[in-house]
mmCIF file of all heavy atoms in Angstrom:
data_model
loop_
_atom_site.group_PDB
_atom_site.id
_atom_site.type_symbol
_atom_site.label_atom_id
_atom_site.label_comp_id
_atom_site.label_asym_id
_atom_site.label_seq_id
_atom_site.Cartn_x
_atom_site.Cartn_y
_atom_site.Cartn_z
ATOM 1 N N TRP J 126 45.164 59.614 -12.842
ATOM 2 C CA TRP J 126 45.256 58.195 -12.572
ATOM 3 C C TRP J 126 46.735 57.776 -12.854
ATOM 4 O O TRP J 126 47.291 58.081 -13.916
ATOM 5 C CB TRP J 126 44.376 57.369 -13.500
ATOM 6 C CG TRP J 126 44.256 55.886 -13.253
ATOM 7 C CD1 TRP J 126 43.333 55.346 -12.421
ATOM 8 C CD2 TRP J 126 45.016 54.866 -13.842
ATOM 9 N NE1 TRP J 126 43.429 53.978 -12.462
ATOM 10 C CE2 TRP J 126 44.530 53.629 -13.329
ATOM 11 C CE3 TRP J 126 46.092 54.768 -14.639
ATOM 12 C CZ2 TRP J 126 45.007 52.393 -13.674
ATOM 13 C CZ3 TRP J 126 46.672 53.559 -14.975
ATOM 14 C CH2 TRP J 126 46.097 52.321 -14.455
ATOM 15 N N VAL J 127 47.331 57.140 -11.819
ATOM 16 C CA VAL J 127 48.788 56.808 -11.962
ATOM 17 C C VAL J 127 49.022 55.334 -11.704
ATOM 18 O O VAL J 127 48.501 54.808 -10.674
ATOM 19 C CB VAL J 127 49.636 57.594 -10.909
ATOM 20 C CG1 VAL J 127 51.127 57.252 -11.000
ATOM 21 C CG2 VAL J 127 49.455 59.104 -11.159
ATOM 22 N N MET J 128 49.579 54.675 -12.614
ATOM 23 C CA MET J 128 49.956 53.277 -12.532
ATOM 24 C C MET J 128 51.402 53.219 -11.784
ATOM 25 O O MET J 128 52.326 53.736 -12.350
ATOM 26 C CB MET J 128 50.055 52.527 -13.900
ATOM 27 C CG MET J 128 50.657 51.168 -13.784
ATOM 28 S SD MET J 128 49.987 50.034 -12.581
ATOM 29 C CE MET J 128 48.479 49.455 -13.481
ATOM 30 N N SER J 129 51.383 52.577 -10.589
ATOM 31 C CA SER J 129 52.654 52.407 -9.846
ATOM 32 C C SER J 129 53.224 51.074 -10.165
ATOM 33 O O SER J 129 52.740 50.108 -9.538
ATOM 34 C CB SER J 129 52.396 52.607 -8.385
ATOM 35 O OG SER J 129 53.531 52.229 -7.684
ATOM 36 N N ALA J 130 54.119 50.991 -11.121
ATOM 37 C CA ALA J 130 54.654 49.571 -11.590
ATOM 38 C C ALA J 130 56.174 49.601 -11.724
ATOM 39 O O ALA J 130 56.730 48.897 -12.520
ATOM 40 C CB ALA J 130 53.959 49.202 -12.825
ATOM 41 N N ILE J 131 56.820 50.517 -10.898
ATOM 42 C CA ILE J 131 58.291 50.294 -10.866
ATOM 43 C C ILE J 131 58.626 49.157 -9.926
ATOM 44 O O ILE J 131 57.814 49.047 -8.944
ATOM 45 C CB ILE J 131 59.014 51.672 -10.264
ATOM 46 C CG1 ILE J 131 58.760 52.766 -11.279
ATOM 47 C CG2 ILE J 131 60.433 51.449 -9.924
ATOM 48 C CD1 ILE J 131 59.285 54.143 -10.764
ATOM 49 N N VAL J 132 59.562 48.353 -10.112
ATOM 50 C CA VAL J 132 59.809 47.235 -9.215
ATOM 51 C C VAL J 132 60.733 47.671 -8.025
ATOM 52 O O VAL J 132 61.562 48.537 -8.189
ATOM 53 C CB VAL J 132 60.476 46.061 -9.992
ATOM 54 C CG1 VAL J 132 61.841 46.453 -10.487
ATOM 55 C CG2 VAL J 132 60.509 44.801 -9.153
ATOM 56 N N GLY J 133 60.298 47.222 -6.805
ATOM 57 C CA GLY J 133 61.070 47.363 -5.693
ATOM 58 C C GLY J 133 60.820 48.719 -4.943
ATOM 59 O O GLY J 133 59.961 49.475 -5.346
ATOM 60 N N ALA J 134 61.658 48.927 -3.929
ATOM 61 C CA ALA J 134 61.501 50.187 -3.087
ATOM 62 C C ALA J 134 61.815 51.435 -3.955
ATOM 63 O O ALA J 134 61.422 52.533 -3.504
ATOM 64 C CB ALA J 134 62.444 50.097 -1.897
ATOM 65 N N ALA J 135 62.416 51.294 -5.096
ATOM 66 C CA ALA J 135 62.687 52.458 -5.993
ATOM 67 C C ALA J 135 61.408 53.039 -6.402
ATOM 68 O O ALA J 135 61.378 54.240 -6.885
ATOM 69 C CB ALA J 135 63.393 51.942 -7.235
ATOM 70 N N GLY J 136 60.222 52.373 -6.336
ATOM 71 C CA GLY J 136 58.994 52.882 -6.645
ATOM 72 C C GLY J 136 58.376 53.785 -5.616
ATOM 73 O O GLY J 136 57.334 54.424 -5.846
ATOM 74 N N LEU J 137 58.890 53.815 -4.396
ATOM 75 C CA LEU J 137 58.183 54.432 -3.334
ATOM 76 C C LEU J 137 58.091 55.881 -3.525
ATOM 77 O O LEU J 137 56.962 56.476 -3.440
ATOM 78 C CB LEU J 137 58.961 54.102 -1.995
ATOM 79 C CG LEU J 137 58.338 54.800 -0.731
ATOM 80 C CD1 LEU J 137 56.908 54.374 -0.438
ATOM 81 C CD2 LEU J 137 59.185 54.428 0.506
ATOM 82 N N GLN J 138 59.250 56.603 -3.710
ATOM 83 C CA GLN J 138 59.164 58.088 -3.792
ATOM 84 C C GLN J 138 58.337 58.559 -4.996
ATOM 85 O O GLN J 138 57.561 59.508 -4.847
ATOM 86 C CB GLN J 138 60.584 58.788 -3.710
ATOM 87 C CG GLN J 138 61.152 58.633 -2.311
ATOM 88 C CD GLN J 138 60.233 59.103 -1.156
ATOM 89 O OE1 GLN J 138 59.392 59.930 -1.376
ATOM 90 N NE2 GLN J 138 60.463 58.436 -0.059
ATOM 91 N N PRO J 139 58.521 58.033 -6.226
ATOM 92 C CA PRO J 139 57.692 58.474 -7.334
ATOM 93 C C PRO J 139 56.147 58.243 -7.044
ATOM 94 O O PRO J 139 55.313 59.042 -7.393
ATOM 95 C CB PRO J 139 58.178 57.547 -8.504
ATOM 96 C CG PRO J 139 59.504 57.190 -8.102
ATOM 97 C CD PRO J 139 59.595 57.090 -6.698
ATOM 98 N N THR J 140 55.865 57.130 -6.398
ATOM 99 C CA THR J 140 54.395 56.844 -6.075
ATOM 100 C C THR J 140 53.967 57.846 -4.994
ATOM 101 O O THR J 140 52.787 58.347 -5.104
ATOM 102 C CB THR J 140 54.272 55.401 -5.555
ATOM 103 O OG1 THR J 140 54.824 54.541 -6.552
ATOM 104 C CG2 THR J 140 52.754 54.952 -5.446
ATOM 105 N N MET J 141 54.791 58.119 -4.032
ATOM 106 C CA MET J 141 54.419 59.052 -3.003
ATOM 107 C C MET J 141 54.188 60.430 -3.637
ATOM 108 O O MET J 141 53.287 61.218 -3.135
ATOM 109 C CB MET J 141 55.564 59.163 -1.937
ATOM 110 C CG MET J 141 55.437 58.172 -0.834
ATOM 111 S SD MET J 141 53.862 58.171 -0.020
ATOM 112 C CE MET J 141 53.808 59.812 0.655
ATOM 113 N N ALA J 142 54.867 60.782 -4.696
ATOM 114 C CA ALA J 142 54.702 62.145 -5.296
ATOM 115 C C ALA J 142 53.226 62.166 -5.875
ATOM 116 O O ALA J 142 52.619 63.206 -5.828
ATOM 117 C CB ALA J 142 55.670 62.316 -6.431
ATOM 118 N N ALA J 143 52.690 61.008 -6.378
ATOM 119 C CA ALA J 143 51.367 61.012 -6.846
ATOM 120 C C ALA J 143 50.384 60.993 -5.670
ATOM 121 O O ALA J 143 49.315 61.629 -5.743
ATOM 122 C CB ALA J 143 51.144 59.718 -7.655
ATOM 123 N N VAL J 144 50.695 60.233 -4.644
ATOM 124 C CA VAL J 144 49.844 60.212 -3.418
ATOM 125 C C VAL J 144 49.738 61.609 -2.858
ATOM 126 O O VAL J 144 48.538 62.106 -2.494
ATOM 127 C CB VAL J 144 50.424 59.233 -2.345
ATOM 128 C CG1 VAL J 144 49.797 59.469 -0.979
ATOM 129 C CG2 VAL J 144 50.265 57.812 -2.847
ATOM 130 N N ARG J 145 50.809 62.412 -2.754
ATOM 131 C CA ARG J 145 50.760 63.668 -2.109
ATOM 132 C C ARG J 145 49.907 64.724 -2.817
ATOM 133 O O ARG J 145 49.451 65.675 -2.232
ATOM 134 C CB ARG J 145 52.201 64.295 -2.047
ATOM 135 C CG ARG J 145 52.960 63.639 -0.877
ATOM 136 C CD ARG J 145 54.250 64.434 -0.591
ATOM 137 N NE ARG J 145 55.133 63.642 0.217
ATOM 138 C CZ ARG J 145 56.147 62.884 -0.318
ATOM 139 N NH1 ARG J 145 56.476 62.997 -1.567
ATOM 140 N NH2 ARG J 145 56.838 62.125 0.517
ATOM 141 N N ARG J 146 49.622 64.450 -4.104
ATOM 142 C CA ARG J 146 48.726 65.357 -4.752
ATOM 143 C C ARG J 146 47.308 64.787 -4.914
ATOM 144 O O ARG J 146 46.499 65.294 -5.747
ATOM 145 C CB ARG J 146 49.287 65.864 -6.074
ATOM 146 C CG ARG J 146 49.527 64.816 -7.080
ATOM 147 C CD ARG J 146 50.110 65.311 -8.404
ATOM 148 N NE ARG J 146 50.278 64.170 -9.231
ATOM 149 C CZ ARG J 146 49.338 63.492 -9.924
ATOM 150 N NH1 ARG J 146 48.104 63.971 -9.820
ATOM 151 N NH2 ARG J 146 49.618 62.487 -10.672
ATOM 152 N N GLY J 147 47.037 63.686 -4.172
ATOM 153 C CA GLY J 147 45.766 63.154 -4.098
ATOM 154 C C GLY J 147 45.250 62.441 -5.359
ATOM 155 O O GLY J 147 44.038 62.349 -5.635
ATOM 156 N N ALA J 148 46.118 61.865 -6.109
ATOM 157 C CA ALA J 148 45.815 61.139 -7.355
ATOM 158 C C ALA J 148 45.142 59.781 -6.992
ATOM 159 O O ALA J 148 45.205 59.308 -5.918
ATOM 160 C CB ALA J 148 47.046 60.880 -8.154
ATOM 161 N N THR J 149 44.565 59.227 -8.015
ATOM 162 C CA THR J 149 44.156 57.788 -7.941
ATOM 163 C C THR J 149 45.356 56.981 -8.318
ATOM 164 O O THR J 149 45.852 57.115 -9.457
ATOM 165 C CB THR J 149 42.903 57.570 -8.849
ATOM 166 O OG1 THR J 149 41.769 58.272 -8.402
ATOM 167 C CG2 THR J 149 42.524 56.100 -8.921
ATOM 168 N N VAL J 150 45.713 56.135 -7.427
ATOM 169 C CA VAL J 150 46.988 55.420 -7.677
ATOM 170 C C VAL J 150 46.555 53.823 -7.848
ATOM 171 O O VAL J 150 46.104 53.229 -6.892
ATOM 172 C CB VAL J 150 48.005 55.522 -6.526
ATOM 173 C CG1 VAL J 150 49.205 54.664 -6.751
ATOM 174 C CG2 VAL J 150 48.375 57.018 -6.499
ATOM 175 N N ALA J 151 46.861 53.359 -9.038
ATOM 176 C CA ALA J 151 46.699 51.921 -9.195
ATOM 177 C C ALA J 151 48.012 51.274 -8.831
ATOM 178 O O ALA J 151 49.092 51.490 -9.381
ATOM 179 C CB ALA J 151 46.448 51.659 -10.705
#
Side-chain angles (χ1 to χ4, degrees):
W126 189 91
V127 178
M128 168 55 78
S129 166
I131 292 174
V132 64
L137 179 60
Q138 290 308 332
T140 307
M141 275 305 300
V144 165
R145 281 195 198 98
R146 58 178 182 77
T149 294
V150 176

